[in-house]
Amino acid sequence: MATTPAVGAACLLAPGPGRADRGRASAAAPARPRRLRCVVRGRCVAELSREGPAPRPAAAPAQLAPPVVPGFLAPPRTEPARAPASMPPPVPDAGAGAIGLQPEGIAEDPIGSTVVVTSEEDARDLVIEEQAKAKVTHSVVFVTGEASPYAKSGGLGDVCGSLPVALAARGHRVMVVMPRYLNGTNDKNYASAFYTAKHIKVFVDHPSYHRPGNLYGDKFGAFGDNQFRYTLLCYAACEAPLILELGGYIYGQNCMFVVNDWHASLVPVLLAAKYRPYGVYKDSRSILVIHNLAHQGVEPASTYPDLGLPPEWYGALEWVFPEWARRHALDKGEAVNFLKGAVVTADRIVTVSKGYSWEVTTAEGGQGLDELLSSRKSVLNGIVNGIDINDWNPATDKFIPSHYSVDDLSGKAECKAALQKELGLPIRPDVPLIGFIGRLDYQKGIDLIKLIIPDLMRDDVQFVMLGSGDPDFEAWMRSTESNSRDKFRGWVGFSVPVSHRITAGCDILLMPSRFEPCGLNQLYAMHYGTVPVVHATGGLRDTVENFNPFGDKGEQGTGWAFAPLTTENMLWTLRTAISTYREHKSSWEGLMKRGMTKDFTWDHAAEQYEQIFQWAFIDKPYVK
């Protein structure tokens, strides 16, 4: 009898001497009467069992309609519900279809389990207000390397923590699949997770996610097995909808995969190469969301066999470095590129702003993928990220000393005075307070800020910077603070409460980024009545409207966007904003109020994603 080809996680081999380190997960104890437990035996596949006050009848247990999948993926028939046992019954590890139910009271989870949970914050967001419902709802699977509040290193975590909640509030079934990082920093974040009827998170657990450092590396650089770590994530994401239930029934195959950045980019390739040829996921679609094209998941070509893909699919991931980027004369520059694989196999492509969707098709912004992305222009769109108004709202913000709104701005002056006092600056309401929040690196334009500070410090202004990164820039911040005690403060590091207080207390927020796919700080600033001065690139150009005192309908604009990016241009624009602040108070108040009334909520972004879902399902799968 012919053997069935390996499909899904069954064909993935972990690097190292053995196979013992398989994907695992442990169920978080839900905080509601009806709780969920799930276990995956050996292959990152799981089945949920319900436990509640009323046990299921033993004679005729409710049966879920099985998904239409090949026999080697279908779960075995479940036995009638039994009382919890002190020890789990023996379950043979039979590969991709071997599934066991974990009884209550097991102190230690076996390797090979998956956590299906969400958080109290997510549940609160789902019911905080009555949201508009989508006309057509979908089963959506977000695949990501990070999601707030569980693990976050940047904007990707904010997006994947908020957008799924907004879609669930509009009626969609939403699953988020991400690693369960246990690095000593994020461990406690999983404690408050539980299940809701429309939104679950699947935490893929494996020893490779349990190590000190940040999500992707440590002080010595990126982890050497990142390719394996996120290949495992992608396989688990493809298996989870076939087995896990949400809202009382199996998630199923007719779903929309939303894959974020290179960490999840193997999912569209797996759907095309390992599932659709066997009739699985033939009606599913995939959307690639590019948050930052600079990170593409490139590894040597010799690692391709570790991905478990058929040899004929090598071309989808094939990548050749240009000669100038090769290490030596004998280096052929051959590599595999995860993000490229998603670009050529995903049904639709989305960037996090309309401006960035154009920039990635240019030689300057395409990071080597510009020609490929240009060839897929017909399915390339840009959607600006939103902001979580539960966390970022000047009327309710728990981190700021005084609350205010567009109808009553008096609290903003109090926030400014409190910030000046906290930083040890002279408390002067008449002096414009300029702020910067972000990484201290080349992309954020810190070198240009460094060049203009001597000239700017001659003016009657105050400047505060919050961030960490390049040690040279950190040292420069400390030195500048010691030389300009009454005008400059540099906070090396990052603090969420301080970032809120700077956003609320400053008059101007400076963002001279060389490129910015979307940017969130300018959105926060406008929502808090802080006027942004930005370089006109990517999402900054899309979201900040240039101030025009002579518009057709009176004064228009929410800030200043300058180009090209030069020190002269930036300094001139800053001084224009400072002059407006000093001499035209009514115009400045108009700038503040127009920014505060802009709709940058996640519900607005979710509505635009629904349009992309609709377009994706109109067309046949791009790769059958």
Side-chain angles (χ1 to χ4, degrees):
M1 182 176 177
T3 58
T4 305
V7 173
C11 65
L12 180 64
L13 300 181
R19 298 190 190 180
D21 292 343
R22 295 189 175 111
R24 100 176 257 271
S26 55
R32 292 190 174 182
R34 294 177 64 79
R35 298 183 291 175
L36 296 175
R37 303 281 292 179
C38 65
V39 177
V40 184
R41 293 293 303 208
R43 305 298 188 196
C44 296
V45 187
E47 178 178 349
L48 290 180
S49 64
R50 287 186 176 276
E51 299 172 286
R56 296 182 177 180
Q63 298 293 325
L64 296 174
V68 181
V69 297
F72 51 83
L73 280 180
R77 297 179 181 176
T78 57
E79 296 296 329
R82 297 174 181 174
S86 59
M87 290 295 291
V91 180
D93 188 354
I99 298 171
L101 302 182
Q102 177 173 334
E104 197 70 37
I106 301 301
E108 191 171 318
D109 291 327
I111 286 184
S113 53
T114 301
V115 188
V116 182
V117 288
T118 188
S119 70
E120 292 186 21
E121 291 185 9
D122 295 341
R124 178 203 64 193
D125 294 344
L126 286 174
V127 299
I128 196 156
E129 60 180 342
E130 191 65 28
Q131 301 244 14
K133 298 297 181 181
K135 295 179 180 178
V136 179
T137 59
H138 301 282
S139 294
V140 185
V141 181
F142 277 80
V143 190
T144 176
E146 58 186 80
S148 177
Y150 306 104
K152 171 188 167 183
S153 67
L156 172 61
D158 288 323
V159 174
C160 294
S162 300
L163 179 57
V165 176
L167 289 169
R170 294 178 62 85
H172 300 275
R173 300 168 77 219
V174 183
M175 174 188 295
V176 181
V177 184
M178 63 172 288
R180 185 168 180 255
Y181 300 104
L182 298 178
N183 55 11
T185 303
N186 302 309
D187 303 19
K188 62 182 183 295
N189 296 345
Y190 304 96
S192 61
F194 66 92
Y195 167 94
T196 67
K198 282 289 184 182
H199 177 207
I200 60 175
K201 280 190 171 70
V202 180
F203 295 125
V204 181
D205 204 352
H206 187 271
S208 63
Y209 302 131
H210 305 170
R211 57 181 63 153
N214 57 42
L215 307 185
Y216 311 116
D218 54 22
K219 62 181 180 180
F220 301 106
F223 294 133
D225 61 346
N226 271 344
Q227 185 192 67
F228 166 75
R229 299 169 81 216
Y230 296 106
T231 300
L232 178 66
L233 171 69
C234 293
Y235 272 96
C238 291
E239 296 284 352
L242 299 176
I243 300 300
L244 300 182
E245 68 175 37
L246 175 58
Y249 56 99
I250 296 296
Y251 213 81
Q253 302 179 44
N254 187 17
C255 53
M256 170 63 69
F257 286 91
V258 181
V259 300
N260 295 271
D261 275 351
W262 78 265
H263 320 96
S265 289
L266 201 60
V267 169
V269 183
L270 292 173
L271 296 179
K274 300 188 71 64
Y275 287 89
R276 289 189 183 125
Y278 302 100
V280 185
Y281 287 130
K282 55 183 174 57
D283 293 323
S284 68
R285 300 292 187 274
S286 61
I287 295 175
L288 169 65
V289 183
I290 300 176
H291 300 261
N292 191 338
L293 196 62
H295 306 288
Q296 300 180 11
V298 180
E299 296 288 346
S302 59
T303 63
Y304 179 80
D306 299 335
L307 306 181
L309 291 169
E312 61 269 21
W313 279 87
Y314 174 74
L317 281 72
E318 182 180 16
W319 180 257
V320 179
F321 282 102
E323 290 188 10
W324 61 266
R326 300 176 190 178
R327 296 181 178 179
H328 49 77
L330 299 179
D331 185 359
K332 296 180 180 180
E334 297 176 350
V336 289
N337 185 322
F338 271 36
L339 193 65
K340 182 217 170 184
V343 170
V344 301
T345 54
D347 297 291
R348 307 284 307 191
I349 303 172
V350 175
T351 64
V352 289
S353 68
K354 293 180 180 179
Y356 196 52
S357 69
W358 170 79
E359 288 180 7
V360 297
T361 63
T362 66
E364 294 80 9
Q367 303 286 339
L369 292 175
D370 49 292
E371 293 184 5
L372 190 57
L373 287 164
S374 295
S375 70
R376 302 215 61 197
K377 247 182 190 177
S378 61
V379 296
L380 177 61
N381 299 93
I383 298 176
V384 173
N385 289 336
I387 61 176
D388 188 346
I389 58 174
N390 297 305
D391 292 333
W392 291 90
N393 187 344
T396 60
D397 194 330
K398 62 183 179 182
F399 296 120
I400 62 177
S402 298
H403 294 151
Y404 58 95
S405 67
V406 68
D407 298 318
D408 181 11
L409 293 171
S410 59
K412 183 162 179 65
E414 297 173 10
C415 288
K416 179 178 179 179
L419 179 64
Q420 289 172 323
K421 181 179 180 180
E422 179 182 3
L423 298 176
L425 292 169
I427 301 177
R428 296 179 56 190
D430 59 311
V431 173
L433 180 56
I434 305 169
F436 171 89
I437 303 171
R439 293 191 314 275
L440 305 181
D441 62 18
Y442 179 79
Q443 180 208 334
K444 300 298 183 180
I446 307 301
D447 56 319
L448 300 177
I449 295 178
K450 180 179 177 181
L451 291 174
I452 70 163
I453 282 295
D455 283 337
L456 194 62
M457 291 294 98
R458 297 190 184 101
D459 299 339
D460 190 16
V461 299
Q462 294 176 347
F463 202 111
V464 55
M465 296 181 67
L466 170 67
S468 62
D470 190 317
D472 292 338
F473 289 137
E474 292 179 356
W476 164 76
M477 282 172 54
R478 295 186 180 98
S479 172
T480 304
E481 178 177 323
S482 64
N483 294 331
S484 305
R485 296 291 302 174
D486 291 340
K487 293 185 176 183
F488 186 93
R489 286 294 181 273
W491 188 301
V492 176
F494 188 78
S495 166
V496 171
V498 173
S499 69
H500 281 246
R501 291 196 286 272
I502 290 176
T503 302
C506 285
D507 301 299
I508 299 170
L509 184 78
L510 178 62
M511 292 185 68
S513 303
R514 284 183 163 81
F515 68 92
E516 196 69 65
C518 177
L520 291 174
N521 286 332
Q522 85 278 11
L523 304 183
Y524 299 147
M526 287 187 283
H527 197 56
Y528 278 63
T530 301
V531 178
V533 174
V534 304
H535 173 219
T537 181
L540 302 180
R541 178 175 51 224
D542 289 353
T543 54
V544 178
E545 182 184 355
N546 250 321
F547 175 56
N548 181 4
F550 309 111
D552 295 337
K553 299 179 181 179
E555 291 186 349
Q556 296 175 335
T558 57
W560 282 268
F562 62 90
L565 181 61
T566 62
T567 54
E568 295 81 4
N569 227 348
M570 180 164 61
L571 190 58
W572 182 87
T573 306
L574 267 178
R575 284 174 169 162
T576 301
I578 292 168
S579 174
T580 305
Y581 173 84
R582 292 186 188 281
E583 302 170 14
H584 305 280
K585 291 296 184 181
S586 61
S587 295
W588 191 264
E589 184 174 332
L591 277 164
M592 294 169 62
K593 289 186 174 181
R594 284 191 295 273
M596 295 179 76
T597 55
K598 286 283 187 179
D599 183 7
F600 292 120
T601 63
W602 275 113
D603 189 57
H604 180 64
E607 189 176 359
Q608 298 177 69
Y609 271 93
E610 289 169 354
Q611 180 64 71
I612 303 295
F613 296 166
Q614 180 181 347
W615 290 339
F617 277 108
I618 288 175
D619 299 328
K620 293 182 179 180
Y622 182 63
V623 180
K624 300 177 183 178

